[in-house]
Amino acid sequence: MRAGTIRAWSWVHKWSSLVSTIFLLMLCVTGLPLVFTHELDHWLLDEAWAPANPGGETLNLDQVLDVALSRHPGDVPAFMSFDEDRPVVNVTSRAPDAPAGQFNFQPIDQTSGDPAPLVAGHPAMEFLLQLHTDLFLGLPGMLFLGAMGLLLIAAVVSGLVLYAPFMRRLPFGTVRAGKAARTRWLDYHNLLGAVTVAWILVVGVTGVVNTLAVPIIAYWKDTALKELTEAYDAPAAPSERASLDAAVRRARAALPGMTLQFVAFPGSDYSTDHHYAVFFHGETPLTTHMTTPALIDARTGEPAAVTPMPWYVKTLSLSQPLHFGDYGGMPLKILWAILDLATIIVLGSGLYLWLGKSRTGRAGA
């Protein structure tokens, strides 16, 4: 490789790393406990609970919705989700004049209509997740972190290019223990960078995809669902809507063998202004993260369409759990944590090497 080419790649590696390092360190540090979110929430928040009438008759979904809205008069429903391990239906609603993102969330015992304990993240974990996701800045924060992810990818690719000529001089994995501290850290930086390169690229690419969740869903609604709304004049008022319970039964009939995940009401982010969107997922570790919606006409209750998600929404659905290693149980999570720690060392050693080089340059001058 020519000297000029090496200098160009070195410039890319240096500045893509320096600009993004602080934010990437923050993402790695906050991401480490988030890998074990489910386990930590269970340990911190688990409380014994039993339904009021175990084994008894359950409320239908219309009755559950009526109970939820009676506790927040004037609210409009947005989502309804279903616990997998207890007979609890979670109803998310909001006041018509509420600020964006402000919702009321109610877990309801389906055997009685009584409030059920809230299964939500621990406040500390929720804080870390929000910081990791968007820096508490909403969509601008997500897009900014996406840009940092692109710089990470540039840093990794340029680091690989620069490591190739380095490997011709020394065997792979060499750590020159007898040399000065800066040389030893350079060797650790190169070794750990080479070992973790595939994982860093996977986490970096999936992280960038996750930061695009809002525009991806908006694009899906504006394209794939647009033709379904062209025949409608005005949305059905809540009082004009067909039975939710019947709509979900029709959706089940349209997608047999799949598991009900959640319902998006008309006007919510995951539906149109005219349909119940009833989402189902598969049963395997892979397909459990892949959803398929059945759209039910909110006014008539008749099926309107079963619309498999386009490739870009499927990519988003697969990227979210893969980013945190949520595919292979605890062994994969432990591997993710080890690689995360190694990446922290790579980032920290890179910053140390640059600071040491800067001090050396100033001393020489």
Side-chain angles (χ1 to χ4, degrees), residues 182 352-365:
R182 189 170 183 278
Y352 163 77
L353 292 168
W354 178 76
L355 291 173
K357 185 176 182 180
S358 299
R359 285 195 297 267
T360 302
R362 287 196 299 271

Side-chain angles (χ1 to χ4, degrees), residues 149-171:
L150 291 175
L151 289 178
L152 169 65
I153 294 169
V156 170
V157 172
S158 57
L160 279 175
V161 172
L162 293 171
Y163 192 47
F166 178 81
M167 287 182 64
R168 288 200 295 267
R169 299 195 301 269
L170 293 171

Side-chain angles (χ1 to χ4, degrees), residues 6 24 27 35 55 58 69 106 236 255 287 331 340:
I6 291 178
L24 295 175
L27 292 172
V35 169
T58 59
L69 295 181
Q106 300 180 70
L255 290 168
T287 60
D340 187 288

